[in-house]
Amino acid sequence: MTTRPGAHGTLITVAPTGAELDKADVPNLPVTLEELVGTARDCERVGAAMIHVHIRGADTKPTLDLQLLKDTVAALREQTDLVVQLSTGGAVTDPESDRLRVLDAMPDSASCTMGTVNFGDDVFLNRWEFVVELHKRMRERRIVPEYEIFDLGQLASLRRLLDEHGPPAGGHVHVDLVMGVPGGMPGDAETLVAALRAIPDGATFSATGIGRTSLPVMFAALAAGGHLRVGMEDTVSYARGERVKDNAQLVARAAGLARIAQRPPLPPAEVRDLLGVSSKD
Ligand code: KMH
Ligand code: ZN
């Protein structure tokens, strides 16, 4: 059996901002480019190797402004070694055309959600034709996708996508299980194990639990040999009755647990090998 690069360690992705929270409600949410880069640097220092990026405009609201996306990719590349992943999910209100245009900012990686899901009181729309278009454009641009899975049936769609349209850019399949969204799969060990039965052969996975499912999902993912995503996009509660101080606090906790599991945080260069992302130079 061959061992995949990075199998001895843990990829920690930080998702620092998201599109759902209001800066007015969460004052420590990084929303300006300066705040985002500062967060990225802090998180890299304590163990993150990839950053999943949603950006905000001057009004602090989510935006998919192409120039701002390009500036963000450039700043993160200049000031960190992190693998830069842009969200093509955006906010539930973003049109497909804007979400596809995100790829023109040429990140290392981009998210690609594998189906439509109820998202609290909203709907996160990901039509089949749209998913195929994202996959194809990422192949053309050599942007490595991370397939976001909100529900188990989306893993069947992923198999169909790969069967009908070929492997992703970089040749390796990596999925992120986003668990505990109201409307998606629950965030617990049982569901994580069920998801792993449906993951394509040879794929790697990371997992994140929304809100209070953050810790059970983190423990289950580590126990199952998976990687971790943490950050204020997914939870702003650190412990019962205690708000998250900043994203680095969440990354540091994940890094500590990964070390205890004897699978320490992977540096960005090893994560590039693992995911098939071309080297920074
Ligand atoms: N903000 C959610 C509607 C992604 O980044 O690709 C979608 C999301 C997934 O966050
Ligand atoms: Zn996201």
Side-chain angles (χ1 to χ4, degrees):
M1 197 174 93
T2 54
T3 309
R4 235 202 115 61
H8 60 281
T10 304
L11 155 62
I12 299 178
T13 300
V14 62
T17 308
E20 281 71 42
L21 295 173
D22 265 333
K23 178 80 168 171
D25 299 333
V26 187
N28 53 345
L29 192 72
V31 295
T32 66
L33 183 51
E34 200 184 348
E35 287 169 348
L36 182 66
V37 171
T39 295
R41 287 164 60 101
D42 292 345
C43 290
E44 182 176 14
R45 213 170 292 124
V46 293
M50 179 150 78
I51 184 163
H52 169 84
V53 179
H54 292 254
I55 60 165
R56 302 293 179 103
D59 60 358
T60 78
K61 304 291 179 219
T63 176
L64 294 179
D65 178 83
L66 182 57
Q67 190 54 52
L68 195 47
L69 284 167
K70 286 181 178 172
D71 294 347
T72 303
V73 171
L76 288 169
R77 286 222 176 101
E78 199 180 293
Q79 299 196 46
T80 75
D81 283 329
L82 296 171
V83 176
V84 179
Q85 177 184 95
L86 290 183
S87 165
T88 67
V92 287
T93 46
D94 285 324
E96 290 178 349
S97 54
D98 289 4
R99 292 171 58 192
L100 287 167
R101 198 183 51 201
V102 166
L103 301 177
D104 294 345
M106 294 301 290
D108 300 310
S109 170
S111 57
C112 178
T113 295
M114 284 311 306
T116 296
V117 63
N118 283 329
F119 197 82
D121 294 340
D122 297 306
V123 175
F124 180 29
L125 190 66
N126 295 283
R127 295 180 311 112
W128 175 247
E129 290 85 353
F130 173 70
V131 172
V132 170
E133 193 56 34
L134 266 180
H135 177 80
K136 283 184 177 167
R137 291 193 192 191
M138 282 196 232
R139 272 171 64 113
E140 284 160 17
R141 291 168 171 75
R142 312 228 39 81
I143 296 168
V144 172
E146 177 177 85
Y147 298 105
E148 307 287 337
I149 305 297
F150 287 74
D151 217 340
L152 296 185
Q154 294 179 4
L155 286 164
S157 296
L158 175 58
R159 285 166 173 272
R160 177 183 170 199
L161 182 76
L162 301 172
D163 284 350
E164 292 182 8
H165 299 281
H172 175 65
V173 177
H174 179 70
V175 311
D176 181 42
L177 306 174
V178 184
M179 310 183 73
V181 169
M185 63 184 148
D188 55 34
E190 210 178 351
T191 307
L192 186 132
V193 169
L196 297 189
R197 291 196 193 104
I199 275 184
D201 290 344
T204 49
F205 80 97
S206 57
T208 185
I210 304 301
R212 67 183 60 182
T213 70
S214 175
L215 279 172
V217 167
M218 185 148 47
F219 282 113
L222 278 175
H227 302 279
L228 305 177
R229 173 174 124 175
V230 293
M232 293 172 74
E233 172 168 345
D234 300 336
T235 184
V236 287
S237 159
Y238 188 74
R240 208 165 281 143
E242 186 183 339
R243 304 277 280 187
V244 167
K245 192 161 80 54
D246 55 26
N247 281 287
Q249 184 190 30
L250 292 170
V251 172
R253 177 167 66 179
L257 292 175
R259 284 192 193 94
I260 289 169
Q262 298 293 299
R263 290 184 41 237
L266 290 169
E270 284 190 49
V271 167
R272 286 173 191 276
D273 282 350
L274 175 74
L275 302 181
V277 175
S278 51
S279 81
K280 227 187 144 186
D281 317 313

